[in-house]
Amino acid sequence: MDVLFGVLGPVTAWDGGGNPIALKGPRHRAVLARLIIARGRVVPVSLLVDDLWIDPPSDGVGAVRTFVAALRRVLEPDRPPRTPSRLLVTEGPGYALHPGPDGVDAWRFESAVTANGRPPSELLTALDEALGRWRGPAYAEFADEPWARAERSRLAELRLRAVERRAEALLALGLAADAVPDLDAHVAEHPWREDAWRLLALALYRTGRQGDALAVLRRARGLLVEQLGVDPGPELRRLEEDILRQADRLDAAQDAATRVWARAAETYDRTVASGARSRLESTVGILRNLAMTGGGGLEAAREQRLPAILAAEELGDADLTARVIGAYDVPANWTRSDDPRQAAQVAAAAERTLAALPPGRAAARARLLATIALESRGTGAPRAREAAGEAEAIARGLDDPALLAFALNGVYMQAFEHAGLAPRRDAIGAELVELSVRHDLATYEVLGHLIRLQARGALADFAGADEHAAAAERLAEHHERPLVGVFTTWYRAMRLAASGAPMAEAEAAYRDAAERMRGSGMPGLEDGLLALALLCLRVQHRQPAQTDPADWGPYEPWARPLVLLAHGRPDESAAALRDVPEPPHDLLFEALWCLTATAALAVDDRETMRRARDALAPAAGELAGAGSGVLTLGPVSRHLDDLGRAAGR
């Protein structure tokens, strides 16, 4: 059972379903709190006794052991009798708590507050979520305990810093007016924080309230001088001087862009009638750009896309609906949809619009067909491959570079009908790069490099893949495409694993990549990927599967037989293997077949071995899974050799 511990308020715990766990009395919670503060280190029983009582009872050690036993029962209710706890463990002279890396709300909070390098919009979302975790003062019922004092102070300071970092993110996004109310309350409660005064004055200045900004700085000066006997620091003094002379540096570059945006949006809202059909097309253009920002932007774009399409359909104008559907030409290089249900609905709407489209609308038809190919990725549907081919043919005939790039994206998404197609995908990526360079299609140039990164990885050409990773990152930095870094970070972890690096080093790289991906807004990529990558790493090193609970996401059917084997349950593994479906025709096709083959070899399932060998044979010269750009199980030829030897027996 997954357990989340809460210390940002009264100490508590929740089960995997979010239900509170009854932790019994205050000393039980005190033991738990003391172990959480230790962050996985062993706390000797003798120290727990000293911390729990001013005047310990004669059997204090026995009482602590009773508290620990009771905690284990409620935290791990399904643990079989006489099996050791994996969560609250006995180590040497004491106990240690081993929750997952995100198993304590304070740890999640700290990770969000201290993270660096996030775009302001992503940082704002993360900080809003982090601050929302607070239910009261940290370790609230242990405010007077000496062992909790330092941690409570540290977390309180982090919370204040989070409020200030949130204000910095709002200012960076040009939302100075939104920052003012919280900062005003913040300085009232914590008047000695000079950075808070600085941010409040800057926010007021950027909302056109120069006099109020100066008044705030003078109020800060008065408090510091009168109450503490110190002058304001150099940052506050410099800000006051800059406000008096209206220094250009106070207006950040992005704020100039924000003002232009705000004025344009205001004018649009004033001049374009609320019921105008052009509003739908404009909305989709905004959603397209929003999707490329990643994180909350991608999620918001995904949420609003289908309503825009349905609104267009309600108007009964097939041309308009085709434009609304086709305008969302967001490049995609991962073959599992983030929202399969919505993808199917979008594809169905595209089919309906195709049927209603008047004759002679070749470009609109090509965009609808390309949309069907993209939204049907990973399904293996013949109609999707047919749509991709037709969209490409139309685009080439029209000599429309942007349309051809969109169509080629659909062709790429359907280039997985069998194993061993990395060369074909590499050619698609190469054409996308060349086409994009000639016609200044930056987003598709990035896509082309990412496709080539994947394909060259499958072909074990890591020098070539490295070049494409670097090129994609350069373009992403210039054109503000933060999601690119998610893919290149995973690629470098996979490259490390493929190089034969020690398992621990490769595992750490995968975990770092998974952390970078958190909050990216791409569940189709994120769900189950870390667990799958670690399993593939173990299989690559001919080690048994991990036995700790893991989030397998959609990959559970292919992992289950190997996990059962690792638990010493071969009969159940063989039964589970018989239920494993054929892998979807996507970037992980070869990887999932190799996992199936590994399990089949272990339980001597000859029929599954034969099917795996037939499926993998076309990819004999590739690295298994490396075409995904995120994980690998080593050369496909090694797996084919294992299958061949078994067949010979």
Side-chain angles (χ1 to χ4, degrees):
M1 178 179 68
D2 293 328
V3 178
L4 173 64
F5 296 100
V7 298
L8 301 179
V11 174
T12 189
W14 300 274
D15 63 21
N19 304 303
I21 297 173
L23 296 176
K24 297 194 174 181
R27 297 203 193 278
H28 295 78
R29 290 194 295 278
V31 170
L32 184 60
R34 184 65 185 81
L35 294 175
I36 291 172
I37 286 174
R39 296 189 78 109
R41 296 185 297 275
V42 174
V43 181
V45 175
S46 59
L47 184 55
L48 287 171
V49 171
D50 291 341
D51 285 343
L52 261 61
W53 291 279
I54 296 173
D55 184 14
S58 58
D59 191 24
V61 171
V64 168
R65 288 174 176 157
T66 300
F67 299 151
V68 168
L71 285 170
R72 283 171 171 165
R73 282 194 296 273
V74 297
L75 294 175
E76 298 178 282
D78 298 327
R79 179 167 54 89
R82 293 181 296 280
T83 58
S85 171
R86 294 178 178 273
L87 184 58
L88 205 171
V89 303
T90 302
E91 291 187 14
Y95 302 103
L97 189 71
H98 289 164
D102 291 330
V104 179
D105 60 359
W107 300 355
R108 294 186 179 188
F109 175 77
E110 183 174 358
S111 176
V113 177
T114 58
N116 292 316
R118 285 181 170 177
S121 59
E122 187 178 320
L123 178 62
L124 180 62
T125 300
L127 289 174
D128 280 341
E129 180 185 352
L131 287 164
R133 297 184 188 281
W134 284 76
R135 297 168 286 111
Y139 296 92
E141 63 266 64
F142 303 113
D144 298 326
E145 298 293 344
W147 50 266
R149 194 169 297 140
E151 181 65 2
R152 293 182 76 248
S153 297
R154 191 181 71 84
L155 289 171
E157 173 62 27
L158 271 176
R159 186 174 185 277
L160 298 180
R161 181 64 187 127
V163 172
E164 290 159 12
R165 287 203 73 187
R166 181 181 184 276
E168 289 170 351
L170 286 169
L171 287 171
L173 291 167
L175 302 173
D178 293 346
V180 169
D182 286 344
L183 283 170
D184 210 3
H186 185 57
V187 297
E189 292 180 22
H190 308 282
W192 317 127
R193 297 184 69 84
E194 291 194 34
D195 210 35
W197 288 107
R198 179 185 65 81
L199 289 166
L200 176 57
L202 183 58
L204 288 166
Y205 179 81
R206 289 186 180 175
T207 55
R209 298 166 62 183
Q210 180 179 352
D212 289 338
L214 289 169
V216 158
L217 291 173
R218 287 162 186 162
R219 181 153 52 105
R221 176 188 294 275
L223 283 168
L224 291 168
V225 171
E226 293 170 14
Q227 301 295 323
L228 299 182
V230 297
D231 288 325
E235 287 288 326
L236 284 185
R237 295 198 304 271
R238 187 181 307 116
L239 178 59
E240 186 172 15
E241 293 168 4
D242 286 343
I243 289 176
L244 285 169
R245 60 188 179 86
Q246 299 182 349
D248 290 341
R249 79 177 190 89
L250 297 182
D251 292 312
Q254 59 264 37
D255 286 350
T258 299
R259 285 196 297 274
V260 172
W261 169 270
R263 289 169 185 164
E266 182 184 357
T267 303
Y268 186 92
D269 202 45
R270 188 174 59 249
T271 57
V272 179
S274 60
R277 300 184 176 197
S278 59
R279 282 195 172 227
L280 276 175
E281 293 182 70
S282 300
T283 298
V284 175
I286 293 171
L287 295 180
R288 177 188 184 277
N289 292 331
L290 196 60
M292 295 183 197
T293 66
L298 178 56
E299 291 171 356
R302 192 160 53 239
E303 180 182 329
Q304 296 300 321
R305 183 187 179 196
L306 186 61
I309 292 172
L310 297 178
E313 280 196 293
E314 287 178 8
L315 295 173
D317 184 337
D319 281 316
L320 172 65
T321 306
R323 291 196 299 273
V324 168
I325 293 174
Y328 194 87
D329 55 348
V330 177
N333 76 313
W334 190 249
T335 46
R336 182 177 290 276
S337 174
D338 290 320
D339 186 340
R341 182 172 177 272
Q342 185 191 86
Q345 291 175 301
V346 171
E351 291 282 18
R352 291 193 298 270
T353 307
L354 268 175
L357 202 64
R361 306 295 201 275
R365 182 176 181 82
R367 285 190 169 273
L368 291 169
L369 289 163
T371 299
I372 292 168
L374 280 162
E375 299 301 332
S376 303
R377 58 186 127 171
T379 64
R383 166 57 178 158
R385 287 197 296 275
E386 172 190 296
E390 189 177 346
E392 179 187 11
I394 293 173
R396 291 191 188 281
L398 292 175
D399 193 23
D400 182 334
L403 180 59
L404 179 56
F406 187 29
L408 287 174
N409 198 171
V411 171
Y412 164 74
M413 283 296 179
Q414 297 303 321
F416 298 90
E417 58 262 39
H418 60 75
L421 292 177
R424 181 196 297 180
R425 297 194 291 272
D426 190 41
I428 295 170
E431 182 174 4
L432 271 171
V433 171
E434 189 271 336
L435 181 71
S436 300
V437 169
R438 277 194 292 116
H439 298 283
D440 196 22
L441 305 172
T443 54
Y444 283 106
E445 187 179 354
V446 171
L447 174 65
H449 284 298
L450 290 178
I451 290 173
R452 296 210 69 191
L453 175 157
Q454 294 166 325
R456 300 319 300 174
L459 299 171
D461 173 17
F462 286 116
D466 286 348
E467 291 178 6
H468 291 294
E473 287 174 332
R474 285 194 299 271
L475 287 164
E477 182 178 3
H478 183 72
H479 295 285
E480 298 179 334
R481 297 291 180 258
L483 291 180
V484 170
V486 172
F487 291 99
T488 55
T489 302
W490 270 100
Y491 160 71
R492 291 192 173 91
M494 182 271 286
R495 191 194 194 297
L496 186 67
S499 71
M503 274 186 61
E505 188 178 344
E507 180 176 337
Y510 277 135
R511 291 190 184 279
D512 287 345
E515 184 61 31
R516 170 73 183 265
M517 180 170 61
R518 189 184 303 277
S520 66
M522 296 186 291
L525 174 65
E526 185 172 359
D527 288 352
L529 186 59
L530 176 60
L532 181 67
L534 296 180
L535 174 60
C536 291
L537 180 64
R538 297 184 71 85
V539 170
Q540 180 188 348
H541 285 263
R542 298 190 183 273
Q543 296 292 315
Q546 58 264 42
T547 54
D548 293 337
D551 174 16
W552 295 105
Y555 310 114
E556 192 273 341
W558 293 275
R560 183 170 174 76
L562 291 170
V563 173
L564 289 168
L565 279 170
H567 279 286
R569 294 148 67 181
D571 292 343
E572 292 177 59
S573 173
L577 185 61
R578 288 192 290 272
D579 292 334
V580 170
E582 178 167 319
H585 289 264
D586 61 18
L587 281 163
L588 293 171
F589 183 74
E590 292 92 344
L592 297 181
W593 262 121
C594 284
L595 293 179
T596 302
T598 302
L601 286 163
V603 300
D604 198 31
D605 182 335
R606 296 303 181 95
E607 172 57 22
T608 301
M609 282 189 260
R610 181 193 62 77
R611 291 172 51 234
R613 193 176 181 188
D614 290 347
L616 289 169
E622 297 184 10
L623 288 181
S628 66
V630 298
L631 54 81
T632 184
L633 297 95
V636 172
S637 59
R638 192 195 81 177
H639 297 271
L640 290 172
D641 289 345
D642 290 344
L643 291 166
R645 281 192 293 273
R649 291 198 301 270

